[in-house]
Amino acid sequence: MPRTRYDELGRFLRSRRDRVRPADVGLTPGPRRRVPGLRRDEVAMLAGASVEYYTELERGAGSQPSEGMLAALARALRLSNDERDHLFHLANRALPVEGGSASHLHPAMLDLLSRMASTPAMVITDLHVVLVQNPLAVALLGDLSVHQGRSASFLYRWFTDEDTRGIYPEEDHAPQSRSFVADLRAAVGRRDAGDTEASELVASLLEDSPEFSALWHEHDVAVRRHERKRIQHPTVGLIDLDVMHLVSEDGRQRLLWFTPRPGTDASDRLALLTVIGTQAMEAATSK
């Protein structure tokens, strides 16, 4: 990438960092803060990058950022759609396909997620691609944002990878499968007829999963707005949860948050998970 392009990328990142207040992203300002906006280390933390790497980007040095890193920076800096596109142009990267793991996340939805510190929550697309998780969701489900290609869709992994179902009781598999397929048919129906992302996902599933194929040809349609989910966590045991969905206006993204199911011990288990997750994060940062 040309040097002037790197320089402009660095200046743009600095300008966006300066305008974001710590409270905007769920951080405590602290008593001796020298800058009104975010510090470099805070942006790096929010984007999942090293401080050294982010510092090099602001200085106009370093290597060309990946699509995933640019998407993470756009979310960390609460960029608008136009600003996100400009960031990709400055980095000489093609704009990502909407619906994939690098999809733009609306700042308002990200802001709401950042306020849900005491409950597992995440934002996914209508094709079940995870865009971002809060720390408790990672502690509960693992990091689901690492998958690429068609496997970025949790729905695709559900029907093609047995390990994906490992943390769910076997008796819950069949109803979950039926619910996933009905929800996907609704998502496909909402999209344009020429949408290749959704059609390619369906074609792959029809080819790779007899279970999906059988359910798909039943033509059931039902948007997942709330559901019961039982998760067999390796440390805290079986957690019985209610999952609520907040759907964006265009139906392309959803905020999911997990709450204890009434009449169960899920609240105590989530409290234990909070402690364990915090300890795990502290151990990771101390290495």
Side-chain angles (χ1 to χ4, degrees):
M1 191 166 69
R3 176 73 190 184
T4 54
R5 207 72 163 173
Y6 271 128
D7 292 339
E8 182 60 28
L9 175 65
R11 286 193 290 269
F12 182 64
L13 288 172
R14 288 194 299 274
S15 72
R16 300 306 89 182
R17 174 168 63 85
D18 289 342
R19 71 173 188 171
V20 180
R21 301 298 182 264
D24 296 339
V25 293
L27 298 176
T28 303
R32 296 184 177 180
R33 194 170 193 88
R34 293 185 297 175
V35 295
L38 296 179
R39 300 191 302 263
R40 288 192 181 103
D41 63 304
E42 291 170 333
V43 177
M45 177 194 69
L46 292 168
S50 69
V51 178
E52 293 78 11
Y53 176 78
Y54 179 73
T55 300
E56 288 298 294
L57 285 180
E58 279 205 2
R59 289 175 177 168
S63 59
Q64 183 185 31
S66 68
E67 179 184 271
M69 178 52 62
L70 292 170
L73 288 171
R75 293 164 191 163
L77 295 169
R78 300 303 195 261
L79 301 188
S80 68
N81 255 321
D82 291 337
E83 290 170 330
R84 190 283 307 261
D85 291 353
H86 184 61
L87 181 66
F88 271 76
H89 290 317
L90 290 177
N92 200 29
R93 292 284 186 186
L95 295 181
V97 177
E98 288 303 320
S101 57
S103 293
H104 179 66
L105 184 55
H106 194 285
M109 188 167 282
L110 190 56
D111 176 66
L112 186 55
L113 176 71
S114 70
R115 298 174 189 275
M116 293 182 167
S118 61
T119 188
M122 59 187 185
V123 179
I124 68 172
T125 72
D126 58 339
L127 301 184
H128 296 263
V129 175
V130 173
L131 300 179
V132 63
Q133 298 168 272
N134 69 5
L136 268 182
V138 174
L140 177 66
L141 302 167
D143 186 355
L144 301 179
S145 64
V146 299
H147 302 279
Q148 301 295 322
R150 68 183 63 173
S151 292
S153 168
F154 180 82
L155 193 151
Y156 180 81
R157 300 197 308 277
W158 177 267
F159 285 102
T160 62
D161 179 8
E162 291 184 1
D163 291 342
T164 298
R165 304 188 183 196
I167 63 172
Y168 303 94
E170 188 173 353
E171 58 268 29
D172 295 350
H173 292 182
Q176 287 283 355
S177 293
R178 185 172 294 277
S179 176
F180 275 133
V181 175
D183 183 79
L184 178 60
R185 186 173 285 280
V188 172
R190 284 193 305 270
R191 292 190 172 215
D192 295 334
D195 184 284
T196 58
E197 183 191 18
S199 61
E200 288 175 359
L201 176 61
V202 171
S204 296
L205 283 165
L206 288 171
E207 180 178 352
D208 297 340
S209 171
E211 179 191 13
F212 175 86
S213 181
L215 291 171
W216 184 255
H217 288 101
E218 292 183 12
H219 293 271
D220 290 342
V221 181
V223 176
R224 291 164 72 105
R225 294 184 176 88
H226 55 81
E227 57 188 307
R228 178 185 184 184
K229 194 177 288 290
R230 297 192 301 161
I231 296 171
Q232 186 67 50
H233 192 274
T235 304
V236 304
L238 185 67
I239 312 177
D240 202 342
L241 301 164
D242 285 321
V243 186
M244 305 302 295
H245 296 228
L246 177 65
V247 183
S248 62
E249 289 185 6
D250 62 2
R252 290 291 190 98
Q253 294 182 6
R254 308 172 189 182
L255 173 64
L256 276 58
W257 68 99
F258 301 73
T259 60
R261 191 166 179 83
T264 72
D265 63 355
S267 181
D268 293 336
R269 293 182 186 273
L270 277 181
L272 179 58
L273 182 67
T274 301
V275 174
I276 293 172
T278 301
Q279 292 174 340
M281 284 182 282
E282 289 176 347
T285 55
S286 65
K287 292 180 180 179

